[in-house]
Amino acid sequence: MRSDANLAGPMADPVPGPRSESPGDDVSRETSAPPLVDNEDTPIGRAAQIAVEALGRAGEGLPRPPQTRIMVVANQKGGVGKTTSTVNLAASLALHGARVLVVDLDPQGNASTALGIDHHADVPSIYDVLVDSRPLMEVVQPVADVEGLFCAPATIDLAGAEIELVSLVARESRLQRAIQAYEQPLDYILIDCPPSLGLLTVNALVAGAEVLIPIQCEYYALEGLGQLLRNVDLVRAHLNPTLHVSTILLTMYDGRTRLASQVAEEVRTHFGKEVLRTSIPRSVRISEAPSYGQTVLTYDPGSSGSLSYLEAAREIALRGAGFQYDPQHPHQGAGTNNTQSMAEGIQ
């Protein structure tokens, strides 16, 4: 496990070649060199201090929601960080002391891979729950690296579920019924949706109460988002009156570019309070972690990506303490229409 600070390698002389000796070089460093009391003022020192503080807070625990919060992580645009955000937020919440279940609804099974869960074709999976009405309890597996974190894995069989669900009774609410029948206590359920608006995503929207939309800070970030928001409106009107967009998470943020700042500003203008204050930076560590079957929280706890997800999870948990939703006053309100107009304008 390496930290970002190690990438620079060992300390080196500013100028290559032999170092000139001075008469006082044999004197102890403790007496000849000034004490390094300003290390915390260096970037590495500050990062280390922040890492210690954040990881310390992760063990403190946060207020638990009064009832299970079911959050649907959705955006039909691919490559925006849905799966990455799902698994890392779930791990962060679990490290804060919550009991969290990740439901992998993406046939690619990337969330299952990132959590180190076996999901080959013969493993009981969410496909069996949706198509064969298998109890959710029978497919859920604990995540080895994070206490309190569980996963309902996806297998390649899920790729055919869209077609198989069409002819089934109550096809839109099969996941909802499975979750309602799940008997183990949970604080959060995070559902990782595929990059589409088919029956799998509709099942997630019917089962959940909150929608979390990751938006990458890049050009065309809001392309197609209007359609997702219209689908949320349709599901709320006909199938799930409590559904609403509660959280917008800015991902792949690169503070060195003007574009990232502009996109972030536009998103905050149109969504307002739904946007988390914490944004997720573009990070090599976040990209590397899944190849080791880990979240960035366990792969490199001190990295900028890990710290950002810890803070985002903390913000989500604090926002949800005592959360109440009034169907007469949808949480997203006018923000939906504004975002649809903006998304259509970008297209």
Side-chain angles (χ1 to χ4, degrees):
M1 189 180 299
R2 302 173 302 165
S3 67
D4 289 331
N6 291 335
L7 293 177
M11 295 292 290
D13 289 333
V15 180
R19 184 185 305 180
S20 59
E21 299 287 336
S22 66
D25 275 344
D26 58 344
V27 181
S28 168
R29 287 181 181 269
E30 294 182 359
T31 58
S32 63
L36 299 178
V37 295
D38 294 330
N39 265 0
E40 292 181 0
D41 291 334
T42 66
I44 294 177
R46 283 195 300 272
Q49 187 177 12
I50 292 171
V52 170
E53 292 173 356
L55 292 175
R57 286 199 300 271
E60 291 175 5
L62 288 169
R64 290 188 168 181
Q67 59 187 10
T68 304
R69 292 179 67 185
I70 305 176
M71 307 185 75
V72 180
V73 185
N75 189 333
Q76 78 269 28
K77 190 174 187 298
V80 300
K82 284 190 304 297
T83 298
T84 300
S85 295
T86 300
V87 298
N88 286 302
L89 286 174
S92 299
L93 289 166
L95 288 173
H96 279 302
R99 287 177 60 86
V100 187
L101 170 64
V102 172
V103 176
D104 190 355
L105 274 190
D106 191 339
Q108 297 177 82
N110 290 335
S112 306
T113 299
L115 294 174
I117 299 295
D118 189 13
H119 60 103
H120 59 78
D122 296 328
V123 171
S125 71
I126 199 67
Y127 168 86
D128 303 300
V129 173
L130 294 175
V131 176
D132 298 330
S133 300
R134 188 166 185 165
L136 185 59
M137 178 74 69
E138 295 183 6
V139 308
V140 169
Q141 300 182 41
V143 176
D145 294 334
V146 183
E147 184 179 356
L149 181 57
F150 305 88
C151 177
T155 62
I156 193 61
D157 292 336
L158 200 58
E162 294 275 4
I163 298 173
E164 294 179 66
L165 284 170
V166 170
S167 60
L168 298 182
V169 176
R171 60 188 182 187
E172 300 94 350
S173 58
R174 296 180 75 85
L175 179 60
Q176 179 190 44
R177 293 183 179 187
I179 290 175
Q180 289 174 345
Y182 189 76
E183 297 179 351
Q184 293 298 318
L186 292 169
D187 296 304
Y188 297 88
I189 298 176
L190 272 65
I191 306 174
D192 183 35
C193 293
S196 66
L197 294 176
L199 272 174
L200 291 175
T201 299
V202 170
N203 261 270
L205 294 175
V206 172
E210 304 179 48
V211 181
L212 187 157
I213 306 177
I215 297 178
Q216 85 279 32
C217 297
E218 296 179 356
Y219 194 58
Y220 289 141
L222 301 172
E223 181 180 7
L225 188 59
Q227 184 59 52
L228 170 62
L229 296 172
R230 283 189 289 272
N231 279 26
V232 170
D233 286 338
L234 287 172
V235 171
R236 181 171 61 236
H238 300 287
L239 296 167
N240 183 3
T242 63
L243 184 68
H244 65 291
V245 176
S246 69
T247 309
I248 306 294
L249 177 64
L250 294 169
T251 63
M252 306 179 192
Y253 182 83
D254 188 347
R256 298 170 298 179
T257 67
R258 180 177 298 177
L259 176 62
S261 300
Q262 290 174 340
V263 172
E265 184 178 351
E266 285 191 46
V267 172
R268 293 186 188 281
T269 298
H270 288 81
F271 279 103
K273 60 184 178 181
E274 280 82 7
V275 185
L276 294 182
R277 292 188 299 272
T278 305
S279 57
I280 307 302
R282 184 177 290 280
S283 165
V284 173
R285 288 290 183 263
I286 293 176
S287 302
E288 288 177 345
S291 64
Y292 293 89
Q294 298 184 52
T295 67
V296 72
L297 279 299
T298 55
Y299 177 64
D300 192 348
S303 66
S304 61
S306 175
L307 301 179
S308 297
Y309 274 115
L310 280 169
E311 286 302 313
R314 185 178 182 83
E315 194 174 344
I316 288 171
L318 291 175
R319 283 185 174 196
F323 176 80
Q324 295 291 333
Y325 176 67
D326 182 359
Q328 300 302 320
H329 302 282
H331 204 252
Q332 65 189 59
T336 300
N337 297 329
N338 289 342
T339 306
Q340 289 174 352
S341 301
M342 180 170 59
E344 290 164 0
I346 291 180
Q347 288 175 0

